[in-house]
Amino acid sequence: MRLLHPLLLALSFSLETTAQRCWRQLTCTGPSAPSFPGPWDVQNFAPASRTLQPKRILSLPAGALLSQYPGPAPLSRNGSALVFDFGLLVGGLITLTYTSTGPGRIGLAFSEARDYIGEWSDASNGRFRGPDGAVYGTVNGGGRGRYVMPDWALRGGFRYLTVFWTTGAGARLEVQDVELEIAFQPTWADLRAYQGYFHCSDRMLNRIWYAGAYTLQTNAVPTNTGRMVPMLNRGWANNATLGPGDSIIVDGAKRDRAVWPGDMGVAVPASFVSTGDLESVRNALQVMFDYQNKDGSFPEAGPPLLQQNSDTYHMWTLIGTYNYMLYTDDTAFLDKNWAKFQRAVAYIADKVEDGLLHVSGTRDWARWGQGGPNAEANMILYHTLTTAALVATWTSRAPPSLAQSYTVQASALRTAINAQLYDPPFNSFKDNTTRTALHPQDANALAILFNITSGPRSAGISTSLTKNWTPIGPSPPELPGNISPFITSFELAAHFSINQTARALDLLRRTWGWYIDHPNGTQSTLIEGYRTDGSWGYRRERGYKDESYVSHAHGWSAGPTSALTHYIAGLDVIERLGRRWSVRPQFGDLRFAEAGFVTRLGKFRTGWRKVEGGYDVEIETPVGTEGDVVLPVLSAGVMPTVMVNGAAARARLAAGVEMVLPGGRYNITVR
Ligand SMILES: *[C@@H]1O[C@H](CO)[C@@H](O)[C@H](O)[C@H]1NC(C)=O
Ligand SMILES: *[C@@H]1O[C@H](CO)[C@@H](O)[C@H](O)[C@H]1NC(C)=O
Ligand SMILES: *[C@@H]1O[C@H](CO)[C@@H](O)[C@H](O)[C@H]1NC(C)=O
Ligand SMILES: *[C@@H]1O[C@H](CO)[C@@H](O)[C@H](O)[C@H]1NC(C)=O
Ligand SMILES: *[C@@H]1O[C@H](CO)[C@@H](O)[C@H](O)[C@H]1NC(C)=O
Ligand SMILES: *[C@@H]1O[C@H](CO)[C@@H](O)[C@H](O)[C@H]1NC(C)=O
Ligand SMILES: *[C@@H]1O[C@H](CO)[C@@H](O)[C@H](O)[C@H]1NC(C)=O
């Protein structure tokens, strides 16, 4: 507890009222304004200021509403408690201002879900020995005072703060003010300055898109606020160093608060289309290169955790590098890390025998089985090789023949995967080359998404995947009873990628829609996983020994954010920085949709709206670029009347109405 001199108190209050600033002493390198301001900004969850107060005061045990905040907040006797509800997920350090009539101890306990309000925080320390418990401030005597959480006790993800009071002296405490200093997205002065946007006719989809974006913000953290390792037996500490720079993307707001490349498989594309924060991505990738092992393998997770032995996460670091390069064309980053990149590709490609990757680094996303000729890992290797072939053409340091060599390896692998792992009677890939009856969600989704299959085979797999569906999301055969929004993010993109729009929207609404409206959830972020019975205890049988350990703000669940932009609005980059882009909207049951994002070349934006007799499309892309536009037909096989800026379009009828447009502004009508 710190009792400040009144003058200091006044000074620090006046500093805190400066509305927009970055975290602590960090230089503000983030954007200063949103790139696409508009009516959709009301859906943006990000607070307008780095300092925030609660929205409501609740009582224990059930969380009944006592008052809006501010309101009376007396802790009148020993054991009294109040719950402060911020109304959305937040993270950082709390300052409590109070008056008391005598000595005692103030306790602060945190939870993401409403289920765990009370004097025990939800679990985050990772040891499963003792609880996270609470942090305490000592009140020495009567009068006005102030408690500021120490930096090490930073709480990275919570919506609810329980404040409780123990006193042997019969003293009374009145909470005068609760103030949070937000730590996440530390280099941004304006937390709402998103570089991308999305808006459509379905409010729930909009909420999910913005919840994904906000989740990613809560996962972009100061590099010295990682979870402590070795893990603590009791309590928590978030003062570990995670990597270079000022801001870094971790797996979750509350925990693990470590860099996890597999999670970046979803989080990186979603960050690009929404917040546009690729600084945190670069630092996360850089730390993986910095800690590459002598044999060429990457750690499974960044420091201080530095878990090893995961072939799949090794490959996600390479795929993450491809995505980062696609969006930024940061050649300095690639040149610096190129030798390591090439060694890492060789490391994993050397594990191919008899045509298939034989996994020996068996750690993975939580699926039960991994090792040997595992299907999921082979799908990921195919994508690693095809993307590495592109990356090799983006640096002058690569030998000229290397891209071709990666492409040849990829092509042979694709043939072997289809020959050795496909199980025709099930229209699915099996888990490996044994006679297993397990047809996993992950490998089958990735096979479609990464183009390992095409045509009728992809369509058949898409249908087979629906057999796993429960009313609240797919139960993966490789981790039954659990729902993984991480793996389901790939499944979602897979259905969209072959134009199974209605199926994809159904999956999105039943899975993410269930959580976003859950009364006990954060209603602002995306959960790491949950159970098919609708309880939170994801991985209960697979290492998560406390159901409150589950993270309710996990970037690996943000697949809908990129999927809605890429497939519903239909906007994507095809070549680095969007030098080539595509607009391929899918309408589904929606009436309109629009989206935008930014690269160094400028703003990319598109939108469509159904009208009487057809629909209208707007496109705005930087001059000097070129795009592939594929628009839905109005009736199968019939070329509609298409006008571009008032003139008849030069379009051809193929999968849709296809045309190539140079960067610029277009109004297209289709009737
Ligand atoms: C929310 O949590 C409370 C308390 O744990 C529980 O009784 C209630 O069933 C939960 N609501 C839902 C929809 O799961
Ligand atoms: C982090 O905080 C804990 C708890 O106060 C402390 O034991 C540990 O030494 C700190 N670690 C670092 C790196 O400062
Ligand atoms: C105050 O409450 C705490 C916890 O609720 C309890 O352990 C303690 O015995 C109480 N002290 C007194 C003096 O009642
Ligand atoms: C093949 O997959 C099944 C199902 O996941 C698993 O039980 C088995 O251990 C795997 N076999 C090998 C050789 O990896
Ligand atoms: C798969 O193929 C489609 C159609 O050719 C293409 O648009 C898409 O980019 C490809 N996806 C990948 C991951 O290569
Ligand atoms: C996608 O499917 C919709 C209807 O299911 C159809 O109208 C549209 O033309 C298809 N688009 C492409 C590019 O195949
Ligand atoms: C497209 O239409 C909008 C209004 O709907 C108009 O403001 C804009 O100038 C038009 N752009 C072009 C390139 O014709």
Side-chain angles (χ1 to χ4, degrees):
M1 219 246 14
R2 288 200 322 234
L3 273 176
L4 288 185
H5 186 277
L7 189 66
L8 280 179
L9 198 66
L11 182 67
S12 60
F13 274 136
S14 74
L15 284 175
E16 277 160 13
T17 52
T18 322
Q20 297 190 333
R21 57 195 172 86
C22 294
W23 168 250
R24 298 289 163 92
Q25 267 41 270
L26 296 187
T27 308
C28 293
T29 51
S32 51
S35 277
F36 301 94
W40 36 84
D41 287 335
V42 299
Q43 304 263 356
N44 187 325
F45 291 99
S49 163
R50 193 166 282 283
T51 52
L52 195 65
Q53 289 172 318
K55 293 238 165 30
R56 284 175 283 277
I57 307 176
L58 316 177
S59 63
L60 286 179
L65 179 68
L66 290 175
S67 82
Q68 299 300 310
Y69 185 94
L75 296 168
S76 47
R77 67 178 77 84
N78 185 45
S80 292
L82 290 170
V83 181
F84 295 90
D85 172 11
F86 281 82
L88 80 173
L89 189 109
V90 291
L93 292 163
I94 294 281
T95 296
L96 273 188
T97 312
Y98 57 82
T99 54
S100 77
T101 62
R105 235 161 50 120
I106 319 172
L108 285 77
F110 299 86
S111 77
E112 296 186 311
R114 192 186 178 96
D115 311 57
Y116 310 118
I117 56 175
E119 297 178 10
W120 302 86
S121 299
D122 53 11
S124 84
N125 65 35
R127 196 87 189 266
F128 305 109
R129 294 275 165 80
D132 274 43
V135 290
Y136 294 92
T138 304
V139 177
N140 292 314
R144 190 177 168 92
R146 195 164 187 244
Y147 169 74
V148 186
M149 282 166 75
D151 286 0
W152 60 263
L154 180 143
R155 194 74 183 176
F158 64 94
R159 172 174 167 170
Y160 300 97
L161 162 67
T162 302
V163 176
F164 56 101
W165 175 232
T166 52
T167 173
R172 177 188 156 92
L173 184 122
E174 176 90 27
V175 178
Q176 302 289 337
D177 189 30
V178 177
E179 190 172 86
L180 170 74
E181 185 184 10
I182 293 174
F184 58 75
Q185 200 80 81
T187 57
W188 287 33
D190 178 358
L191 296 171
R192 296 173 60 81
Y194 285 13
Q195 298 304 292
Y197 83 108
F198 175 81
H199 187 57
C200 76
S201 56
D202 182 331
R203 283 178 53 83
M204 185 206 267
L205 298 185
N206 296 338
R207 279 214 318 290
I208 293 168
W209 191 95
Y210 280 95
Y214 185 56
T215 299
L216 294 161
Q217 285 195 292
T218 69
N219 289 190
V221 307
T223 45
N224 60 351
T225 64
R227 184 173 70 181
M228 171 148 174
V229 176
M231 291 164 185
L232 296 173
N233 282 325
R234 318 177 54 81
W236 75 89
N238 285 317
N239 55 357
T241 299
L242 295 167
D246 293 335
S247 183
I248 197 161
I249 188 161
V250 295
D251 61 327
K254 178 182 72 166
R255 56 139 274 270
D256 296 344
R257 295 184 76 82
V259 174
W260 284 94
D263 302 37
M264 285 199 278
V266 172
V268 174
S271 294
F272 167 64
V273 303
S274 62
T275 64
D277 173 17
L278 297 170
E279 171 195 4
S280 304
V281 169
R282 182 188 63 235
N283 289 330
L285 289 169
Q286 188 58 55
V287 80
M288 302 311 294
F289 284 107
D290 290 347
Y291 281 84
Q292 187 179 30
N293 297 303
K294 286 209 180 65
D295 63 3
S297 64
F298 293 121
E300 186 198 24
L305 201 51
L306 283 178
Q307 275 171 192
Q308 304 291 334
N309 200 40
S310 173
D311 286 347
T312 52
Y313 277 52
H314 170 87
M315 293 187 281
W316 284 120
T317 296
L318 295 170
I319 293 168
T321 303
Y322 159 77
N323 278 322
Y324 172 72
M325 284 302 298
L326 180 65
Y327 306 139
T328 64
D329 196 17
D330 183 350
T331 44
F333 174 87
L334 182 60
D335 289 350
K336 173 178 168 184
N337 295 299
W338 169 254
K340 293 177 172 187
F341 184 95
Q342 190 180 342
R343 278 211 304 139
V345 177
Y347 168 83
I348 196 71
D350 281 353
K351 296 192 184 192
V352 174
E353 288 165 38
D354 302 327
L356 291 177
L357 168 64
H358 286 245
V359 170
S360 53
T362 54
R363 293 186 58 95
D364 202 354
W365 65 269
R367 69 188 337 282
W368 280 109
Q370 186 51 281
N374 169 271
E376 178 221 9
N378 274 278
M379 307 305 172
I380 299 174
L381 179 58
Y382 177 74
H383 195 56
T384 302
L385 290 168
T386 51
T387 55
L390 290 166
V391 174
T393 64
W394 297 342
T395 172
S396 56
R397 306 201 174 190
S401 60
L402 192 66
Q404 177 64 14
S405 154
Y406 289 161
T407 303
V408 168
Q409 291 175 68
S411 163
L413 179 66
R414 187 177 189 266
T415 303
I417 290 172
N418 277 292
Q420 298 185 47
L421 290 166
Y422 193 66
D423 204 352
F426 294 89
N427 285 322
S428 296
F429 287 95
K430 50 187 182 166
D431 210 26
N432 53 40
T433 51
T434 69
R435 293 168 74 95
T436 177
L438 197 156
H439 300 93
Q441 183 192 3
D442 53 12
N444 283 290
L446 294 174
I448 300 172
L449 183 61
F450 293 160
N451 287 343
I452 291 152
T453 53
S454 60
R457 185 167 283 194
S458 287
I461 295 171
S462 169
T463 304
S464 298
L465 278 165
T466 64
K467 290 185 198 145
N468 300 327
W469 290 12
T470 78
I472 61 171
S475 176
E478 65 274 33
L479 186 64
N482 295 274
I483 290 169
S484 170
F486 170 52
I487 297 306
T488 305
S489 287
F490 298 120
E491 182 178 339
L492 178 69
H495 296 306
F496 273 130
S497 76
I498 56 165
N499 202 22
Q500 285 287 347
T501 316
R503 182 173 287 162
L505 287 174
D506 180 352
L507 179 64
L508 206 171
R509 288 173 175 134
R510 71 171 67 207
T511 308
W512 285 270
W514 174 81
Y515 180 74
I516 198 73
D517 278 339
H518 199 294
N520 294 340
T522 66
Q523 293 161 353
S524 53
T525 51
L526 303 178
I527 192 170
E528 172 186 22
Y530 50 96
R531 298 194 76 80
T532 49
D533 67 4
S535 63
W536 296 145
Y538 172 69
R539 285 184 66 171
R540 184 188 292 146
E541 66 286 66
R542 186 89 174 91
Y544 286 13
K545 295 175 195 155
D546 181 332
E547 67 169 32
S548 77
Y549 188 66
V550 171
S551 162
H552 286 250
H554 231 63
W556 81 353
S557 301
T561 301
S562 48
L564 288 168
T565 295
H566 289 328
Y567 300 108
I568 290 296
L571 185 63
D572 208 348
V573 299
I574 305 297
E575 285 174 14
R576 275 169 298 165
L577 295 172
R579 289 184 188 109
R580 188 166 202 95
W581 43 269
S582 64
V583 168
R584 299 167 178 263
Q586 296 181 33
F587 297 165
D589 55 7
L590 303 170
R591 287 182 290 112
F592 65 86
E594 59 180 291
F597 51 65
V598 171
T599 77
R600 199 148 38 79
L601 297 182
K603 293 184 189 180
F604 296 74
R605 198 186 73 79
T606 190
W608 56 264
R609 179 177 292 273
K610 289 179 188 161
V611 299
E612 186 69 32
Y615 61 90
D616 294 343
V617 180
E618 284 184 41
I619 299 175
E620 196 177 336
T621 53
V623 171
T625 63
E626 190 170 69
D628 300 322
V629 178
V630 183
L631 302 175
V633 293
L634 300 175
S635 59
V638 181
M639 184 71 169
T641 304
V642 184
M643 306 290 279
V644 178
N645 290 347
R650 294 170 42 153
R652 67 187 190 100
L653 184 64
V657 176
E658 298 195 357
M659 55 193 143
V660 174
L661 292 176
R665 301 179 57 151
Y666 299 98
N667 287 340
I668 303 173
T669 60
V670 179
R671 301 289 186 275

